[in-house]
Amino acid sequence: MQDKINTFMDEVRSRNGHEPEFLQAVQEVAETVIPYIASQEIYNGKNILLRMVEPERAITFRVPWVDDDGEIHVNRGYRIQMNSAIGPYKGGLRFHPTVDMSILKFLAFEQTFKNSLTTLPMGGGKGGADFDPKGKSDDEIMRFCHSFMSELFRHIGPNTDIPAGDIGVGGREIGFLFGMYRKLRNEFTGVLTGKGLTWGGSLIRPEATGYGTVYFAENMMKTKNDSFDGKTVVISGSGNVAQFAAEKALHLGAKVVTLSDSSGYILDEDGIDEEKLEFVMTLKNEKRGRISEYIDTYSNAKFFEGETPWEVPCDIALPCATQNELNGEDAQKLLENGCICVSEGANMPSMPEAIAEFHKAKILFAPGKASNAGGVATSGLEMSQNSLRMSWSSEEVDNKLKDIMNDIHEKCLEYGDDGNGFTDYVKGANIAGFVKVADAMLAQGVV
Ligand SMILES: NC(=O)C1=CN([C@@H]2O[C@H](COP(=O)(O)OP(=O)(O)OC[C@H]3O[C@@H](n4cnc5c(N)ncnc54)[C@H](OP(=O)(O)O)[C@@H]3O)[C@@H](O)[C@H]2O)C=CC1
Ligand SMILES: O=C(O)CCC(=O)C(=O)O
């Protein structure tokens, strides 16, 4: 079997050798899905996985914009339309200086499996730009978003491709992007999700990725007759996903002790309670400050510059910042300190060596494509509300979100059983996500 996997990876590497994050994401899927394909007669000889690693379309474009001093800048914009076998392309936009083909192809590939897991009819896509929003004024962000959409609009649509937020793209950016789309198309449609509540957005979409990550972890803990109540939780990141993961962990009775950004992490051993979390939300979402400023207000807390929070003892770890933020040594530290559950809020935050450590120790480990699927699932619910021209209450959306996270967990249990009573959630998520897309591709022929 390893030969088959190696041959497949050699072929993928020969075309994409300069794309390390993409190869990492494909390798993880290949290791679990190729043995499954080999065991299923219907998939044999169809080269389905090889077709799935090739984007249906990859668009790059120029994004020129003018800063507040009148200087002209040029960034590169992207949209990867990965797979539309089960529905229109769906996935976020990332604005970050590290954005390139490798990052976006890994994200779009993961998105295809994730969206399939949600049970909603959404294909996989991802996009963004190598633009750094840090330190830019609201006007500069607006001009950038307008320029970005003045090209992207011709490639997307409510039945074709529906972008949303990701790192560096939140409610403010979605507003500017939507405004330009609406003007250019002269139509009001649900072409983007994560919209404001007064113009087509869904209640609970801002909360959904973080809440869903915790709901998934709660489901995993239940399999051990355990819960969040009284547990110590370590979280990385302090953006959208981290903030609402922290909020839901607090609701469930846990003590959250860390948050971070790319400068380092804060440790508050007294716990980041609701009031302190509100302070972080204002600091990050309105003042656009740094997490280190937390200790200016809460002097009992400490800031660890340039460090990640995985050295802090905890029961549950929620990596909610970015890809490859947790390495093999970090995983060992978490395990030595008694961590029993890791639920990924970010996309691919754990490096392969870290996942190997978690699996060796047989702790509860959820890959992002399962545990952070609540965000895109709620985007799917926003699309449904837009099509129906109605809006559901917070309670209705939250209940649907919980049901979807339960379903994904059940699918992981079904496909992830290793035969010895251990659930390999990576295997479960990969195979369950693959089956729906592969069956649709088989039914539709070679297109
Ligand atoms: N938003 C959503 O609905 C979804 C998001 N995700 C994933 O969750 C993760 C976080 O996204 P989101 O919260 O929306 O993004 P935000 O932009 O709101 O926040 C990102 C956070 O991660 C930190 N971060 C970014 N890059 C790095 C880095 N290289 N090293 C350390 N910290 C870093 C940021 O710090 P700083 O400000 O210093 O850059 C910030 O605290 C991403 O992996 C994203 O793909 C997954 C599913 C849905
Ligand atoms: O809500 C969406 O469409 C985007 C979510 C996303 O980008 C992700 O799941 O990584």
Side-chain angles (χ1 to χ4, degrees):
M1 187 53 61
Q2 198 54 47
D3 282 356
K4 275 194 175 159
I5 297 169
N6 292 345
T7 308
F8 172 81
M9 284 310 300
D10 285 345
E11 183 152 0
V12 179
R13 207 171 289 111
S14 72
R15 284 205 193 121
N16 308 283
H18 52 298
E19 295 177 347
E21 291 85 2
F22 178 58
L23 291 173
Q24 181 184 335
V26 174
Q27 176 93 38
E28 184 218 271
V29 166
E31 277 169 9
T32 46
V33 167
I34 288 180
Y36 179 76
I37 291 174
S39 72
Q40 304 292 312
E41 189 65 31
I42 52 163
Y43 302 130
N44 276 331
K46 306 285 186 193
N47 261 346
I48 294 185
L49 198 54
L50 203 58
R51 284 148 68 191
M52 283 175 72
V53 298
E54 198 59 32
E56 290 177 11
R57 200 171 296 100
I59 302 150
T60 68
F61 52 95
R62 179 173 67 197
V63 189
W65 60 281
V66 183
D67 71 18
D68 288 344
D69 297 325
E71 203 174 314
I72 299 169
H73 301 264
V74 181
N75 285 93
R76 184 169 293 170
Y78 302 82
R79 188 70 184 166
I80 313 298
Q81 298 182 330
M82 198 76 195
N83 194 303
S84 60
I86 62 167
Y89 310 105
K90 179 86 194 89
L93 296 171
R94 178 176 291 193
F95 292 169
H96 196 271
T98 57
V99 160
D100 62 14
M101 268 294 179
S102 175
I103 300 269
L104 293 179
K105 277 173 64 184
F106 114 65
L107 288 165
F109 183 67
E110 294 264 303
Q111 197 81 46
T112 301
F113 290 76
K114 185 193 307 191
N115 293 2
S116 163
L117 284 170
T118 65
T119 68
L120 303 174
M122 300 183 291
K126 201 88 185 191
D130 58 355
F131 169 74
D132 189 356
K134 281 202 193 79
K136 304 290 190 298
S137 69
D138 284 353
D139 282 346
E140 287 173 329
I141 297 288
M142 180 183 72
R143 286 194 290 273
F144 180 81
C145 289
H146 284 174
S147 178
F148 184 86
M149 186 53 87
S150 71
E151 171 59 34
L152 186 68
F153 86 99
R154 62 187 97 249
H155 307 290
I156 62 175
N159 296 310
T160 311
D161 185 351
I162 306 94
D166 189 75
I167 290 178
V169 178
R172 173 182 61 168
E173 291 73 19
I174 294 293
F176 295 144
L177 292 163
F178 185 78
M180 183 51 84
Y181 182 89
R182 185 173 59 75
K183 178 183 165 103
L184 293 172
R185 287 272 190 214
N186 191 26
E187 61 182 23
F188 195 109
T189 62
V191 67
L192 290 158
T193 58
K195 299 185 289 300
L197 290 179
T198 55
W199 40 281
S202 173
L203 287 159
I204 303 291
R205 176 61 189 90
E207 291 87 347
T209 310
Y211 278 19
T213 301
V214 172
Y215 291 149
F216 196 91
E218 196 187 14
N219 277 321
M220 292 199 294
M221 297 285 282
K222 274 190 199 149
T223 66
K224 306 281 177 201
N225 296 318
D226 210 340
S227 74
F228 267 65
D229 196 23
K231 298 291 188 299
T232 298
V233 178
V234 159
I235 298 181
S236 65
S238 49
N240 171 266
V241 180
Q243 291 170 16
F244 288 105
E247 183 169 278
K248 186 50 71 180
L250 291 181
H251 291 168
L252 297 180
K255 178 165 146 185
V256 176
V257 291
T258 67
L259 287 170
S260 73
D261 61 23
S262 53
S263 315
Y265 77 91
I266 55 116
L267 169 64
D268 186 339
E269 281 174 331
D270 298 335
I272 302 166
D273 60 19
E274 301 254 3
E275 183 209 309
K276 294 173 183 176
L277 188 57
E278 192 60 47
F279 167 87
V280 171
M281 289 183 180
T282 307
L283 173 70
K284 283 293 181 181
N285 308 344
E286 289 169 31
K287 298 186 180 153
R288 308 212 177 252
R290 308 302 299 156
I291 198 65
S292 55
E293 293 169 52
Y294 181 95
I295 62 168
D296 301 338
T297 301
Y298 302 107
S299 53
N300 281 348
K302 297 188 197 95
F303 176 63
F304 296 85
E305 191 173 353
E307 304 293 328
T308 52
W310 316 124
E311 59 197 7
V312 175
C314 67
D315 304 297
I316 298 169
L318 305 175
C320 295
T322 193
Q323 66 277 351
N324 291 331
E325 56 163 316
L326 199 166
N327 64 28
E329 277 176 34
D330 297 326
Q332 279 168 8
K333 266 186 255 162
L334 282 169
L335 292 168
E336 278 160 23
N337 285 329
C339 178
I340 53 169
C341 175
V342 178
S343 184
E344 294 187 335
N347 285 307
M348 206 170 76
S350 307
M351 296 175 83
E353 312 83 70
I355 298 175
E357 293 290 339
F358 296 143
H359 279 166
K360 198 165 73 184
K362 295 201 183 301
I363 66 158
L364 299 166
F365 170 74
K369 61 169 81 75
S371 46
N372 74 33
V376 74
T378 307
S379 279
L381 300 177
E382 182 172 328
M383 288 163 66
S384 303
Q385 292 169 79
N386 292 163
S387 299
L388 295 167
R389 299 201 188 283
M390 61 186 293
S391 37
W392 298 327
S393 68
S394 290
E395 206 187 359
E396 279 173 291
V397 180
D398 198 23
N399 284 337
K400 288 181 201 297
L401 169 63
K402 274 187 206 149
D403 286 347
I404 290 171
M405 298 316 293
N406 289 348
D407 274 0
I408 298 175
H409 185 259
E410 284 301 314
K411 284 213 207 81
C412 288
L413 294 184
E414 183 186 338
Y415 287 101
D417 186 355
D418 80 341
N420 297 307
F422 172 70
T423 300
D424 177 342
Y425 286 87
V426 175
K427 176 179 160 199
N430 288 343
I431 297 176
F434 169 82
V435 165
K436 189 170 156 195
V437 178
D439 289 353
M441 288 174 73
L442 277 186
Q444 293 168 27
V446 182
V447 288

